[in-house]
């Protein structure tokens, strides 16, 4: 089997860089692990270690109310000898990042972003090299910080990329398995199911002479997704001593938001401030707002389900209950797939300047609030609003550019002309 030397060099360089950062700055991983921007109550490596300690001492990991992650993480990390736990965990997370980049490269090589079975962009010749797409993920500072902090969201991102890569490569069953794993590890990827089914359907019809319709494909793929998810649940039931306690401690935390630890999201501060009597109502409103994007985007951008997936990942990075920069890094990793729409974007500089502004001032405002005592929660929440604003502008700009690209296909005479709101 021939080895792609460029890909090997890319993966090797990324792995060496991460390993050097772990070795040269031994205190950095522990520092980043405690950062609110990277670690959340449902992804924190420290909380995983707490749950692992209880699990290895034959105590339910969910008894302390600290561990909120999927049970399958426990036997995985329990296999690592205690004497080599640190170095083995480092190598595991480096490998996870390399695998994520591999799946991203497969998606880029398929070229499904610019030319899909239902839509072909007139700018499809403008595309980045697949290795350049992988490099933007591997050397993104957000990705590097995430790898050093070792949250479990790295594995969720890998499962999502695996699902997308298999969908565009006409492997729908594997795609459903990967998305079921992602939904098992972190609840929110289940919202990606409708556009992923559409993506699988579109690529299956290119090789299937019978031309099944989308409901027929959904009827075939939904049982696969449900069966795989049920299988993961059954394994978790056995791992936790034949108890369903893990459901409330993992997915219940996502749905009900009992832990209001500060993060880069919009939920925690709002639910600290509101009266308890309104809590259930606003939980429903916030979740309804999040779920509402799925149907609208899948219907309006039916011709480009891969873009719907990318957009939903960006929206979830803003509006999910416990977001982190790991979620934003996944969205930024997918952006280069749509390099052909970059010339149509209008406020790119302002958007990325806003992201940079929030990235630099976020840690400072958190320090002023928690450590210096010269600020309050409003300081940190204000900068998280700026962060969300920057992400929202990027997501909105990408949607405008894709819709403009489709419009120019429908009306070629309008290509290059300004669009004005009347």
């Amino acid at each position: 089997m021939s080895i792609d030397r460029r890909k090997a060099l890319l993966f090797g360089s990324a792995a060496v860089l991460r390993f050097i950062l772990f070795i040269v700055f031994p205190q950095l991983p522990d520092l980043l692990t405690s950062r609110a921007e990277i670690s959340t109550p449902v992804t924190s490596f420290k909380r995983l270690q707490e749950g692992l300690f209880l699990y290895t001492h034959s105590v339910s990991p969910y008894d302390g109310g600290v561990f909120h992650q999927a049970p399958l993480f426990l036997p995985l990390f329990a296999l690592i000898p205690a004497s080599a736990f640190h170095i083995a965990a480092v190598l595991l997370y480096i490998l996870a990042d390399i695998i994520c980049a591999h799946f991203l490269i497969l998606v880029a090589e398929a070229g499904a972003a610019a030319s899909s079975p239902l839509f072909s962009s007139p700018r499809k010749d403008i595309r980045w090299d697949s290795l350049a797409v992988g490099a933007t993920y591997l050397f993104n500072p957000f990705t590097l910080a995430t790898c050093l902090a070792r949250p479990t969201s790295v594995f969720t991102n890998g499962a999502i990329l695996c699902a997308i890569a298999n969908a565009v490569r006409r492997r729908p069953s594997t795609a459903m398995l990967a998305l079921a794993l992602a939904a098992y590890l972190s609840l929110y990827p289940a919202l990606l199911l409708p556009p992923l089914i559409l993506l699988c359907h579109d690529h299956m019809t290119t090789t299937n002479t019978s031309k099944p319709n989308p409901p027929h494909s959904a009827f075939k793929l939904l049982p696969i997704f449900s069966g795989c998810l049920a299988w993961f649940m059954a394994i978790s039931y056995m791992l936790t001593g034949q108890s369903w306690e893990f459901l409330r401690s993992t997915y219940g935390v996502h749905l009900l938001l009992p832990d209001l630890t500060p993060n880069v999201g919009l939920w925690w501060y709002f639910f600290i401030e509101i009266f308890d009597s309104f809590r259930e109502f606003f939980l429903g409103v916030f979740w309804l707002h999040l779920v509402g994007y799925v149907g609208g985007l899948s219907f309006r951008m039916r011709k480009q389900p891969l873009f719907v997936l990318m957009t939903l990942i960006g929206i979830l990075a803003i509006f999910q209950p416990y977001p982190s920069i790991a979620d934003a890094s996944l969205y930024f990793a997918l952006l280069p797939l749509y390099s052909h729409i970059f010339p149509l974007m209008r406020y790119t500089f302002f958007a990325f300047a806003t992201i940079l502004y929030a990235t630099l001032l976020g840690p400072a405002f958190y320090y002023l609030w928690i450590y210096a005592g010269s600020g309050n929660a409003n300081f940190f929440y204000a900068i998280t609003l700026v962060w969300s604003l920057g992400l929202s502008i990027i997501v909105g700009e990408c949607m405008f550019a894709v819709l403009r690209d489709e419009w120019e296909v429908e009306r070629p005479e309008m290509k290059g002309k300004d669009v004005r709101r009347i």
Side-chain angles (χ1 to χ4, degrees):
M1 183 178 66
S2 61
I3 299 176
D4 189 332
R5 293 185 179 181
R6 294 173 61 218
K7 185 184 290 187
L9 178 62
L10 173 64
F11 289 171
S13 301
V16 169
L17 174 61
R18 284 160 169 75
F19 195 75
I20 288 176
L21 290 174
F22 274 111
I23 299 301
V24 176
F25 304 101
Q27 304 301 322
L28 186 58
D30 290 334
L31 173 65
L32 293 176
T33 300
S34 61
R35 294 302 308 175
E37 301 90 343
I38 307 175
S39 297
T40 69
V42 294
T43 63
S44 171
F45 186 71
K46 286 186 175 180
R47 293 181 182 237
L48 174 62
Q49 289 178 301
E50 173 73 16
L52 185 62
F53 177 83
L54 296 176
Y55 176 76
T56 54
H57 286 78
S58 302
V59 179
S60 173
Y62 301 104
D63 277 353
V66 174
F67 181 66
H68 301 302
Q69 297 164 53
L72 277 182
F73 284 121
L74 299 171
L76 172 64
F77 283 88
L79 293 174
I80 303 176
S83 58
F85 184 84
H86 177 72
I87 189 66
V90 167
L91 295 176
L92 177 62
Y93 276 86
I94 292 175
L95 178 62
D97 261 3
I98 299 299
I99 293 174
C100 288
H102 170 69
F103 288 129
L104 188 61
I105 290 172
L106 292 179
V107 177
E109 289 175 346
S115 181
S116 65
L118 298 182
F119 176 78
S120 183
S121 170
R123 300 172 176 83
K124 61 183 178 182
D125 294 331
I126 306 175
R127 54 182 296 187
W128 287 17
D129 181 76
S130 60
L131 292 184
V133 175
T136 58
Y137 172 79
L138 288 172
F139 297 104
N140 185 337
F142 293 149
T143 308
L144 289 171
T146 300
C147 181
L148 293 173
R150 296 159 294 172
T152 53
S153 50
V154 172
F155 302 101
T156 304
N157 290 350
I160 292 173
L161 289 173
C162 178
I164 297 174
N166 282 282
V168 299
R169 299 184 73 198
R170 304 182 182 91
R171 297 174 180 172
S173 298
T174 309
M176 291 297 108
L177 171 61
L179 187 67
L181 176 60
Y184 165 77
L185 297 179
S186 183
L187 181 66
Y188 77 89
L191 297 176
L192 304 178
L193 181 60
L196 187 69
I197 289 177
L198 292 176
L199 185 64
C200 292
H201 166 78
D202 291 348
H203 285 81
M204 282 191 299
T205 55
T206 59
T207 57
N208 195 333
T209 56
S210 62
K211 301 291 183 182
N213 53 28
H216 182 264
S217 297
F219 184 76
K220 292 198 307 182
L221 295 177
L222 273 175
I224 299 176
F225 174 82
S226 304
C228 293
L229 191 59
W231 183 66
F232 289 129
M233 295 294 181
I235 294 177
S236 300
Y237 174 76
M238 300 301 296
L239 288 174
T240 54
Q242 298 184 351
S243 170
W244 295 110
E245 178 190 4
F246 73 93
L247 292 176
R248 181 174 181 84
S249 299
T250 53
Y251 312 116
V253 171
H254 286 275
L255 294 171
L256 303 176
L257 205 76
D259 194 319
L260 297 176
T261 302
N263 53 68
V264 296
L266 305 174
W267 293 46
W268 64 274
Y269 186 82
F270 183 87
F271 282 95
I272 285 175
E273 295 296 326
I274 66 168
F275 294 108
D276 288 342
S277 57
F278 296 103
R279 182 180 175 85
E280 289 77 11
F281 171 76
F282 281 104
L283 275 173
V285 170
F286 273 53
W287 271 110
L288 184 62
H289 167 256
L290 189 59
V291 174
Y293 288 103
V294 179
L297 287 172
S298 299
F299 179 78
R300 177 60 185 85
M301 299 182 174
R302 169 64 188 89
K303 296 179 180 180
Q304 302 192 62
L306 178 57
F307 180 76
V308 176
L309 282 166
M310 186 188 80
T311 303
L312 285 176
I313 289 171
I315 290 172
L316 290 169
I318 304 169
F319 295 117
Q320 66 167 295
Y322 296 106
S324 69
I325 65 170
D327 304 296
S329 69
L330 177 59
Y331 178 68
F332 291 146
L334 294 169
L335 273 180
L337 297 175
Y338 285 85
S339 57
H340 62 282
I341 66 168
F342 288 173
L344 298 175
M345 298 173 68
R346 303 161 297 176
Y347 308 117
T348 308
F349 173 77
F350 176 74
F352 281 99
T354 304
I355 292 293
L356 180 61
Y357 175 84
T359 301
L360 296 177
L361 287 185
F365 283 13
Y366 188 80
Y367 176 82
L368 290 174
W369 172 32
I370 299 297
Y371 299 103
S374 56
N376 54 32
N378 295 328
F379 275 60
F380 184 65
Y381 189 63
I383 203 64
T384 62
L385 290 176
V386 176
W387 167 265
S388 299
L389 173 65
L391 286 177
S392 299
I393 295 173
I394 296 174
V395 172
E397 277 296 286
C398 288
M399 291 180 63
F400 167 82
V402 166
L403 291 173
R404 175 64 193 252
D405 197 40
E406 288 187 359
W407 186 60
E408 290 183 358
V409 172
E410 298 171 359
R411 300 185 62 183
E413 72 277 7
M414 302 302 296
K415 186 174 182 179
K417 295 184 179 180
D418 291 337
V419 177
R420 296 181 182 179
R421 180 178 298 174
I422 300 176

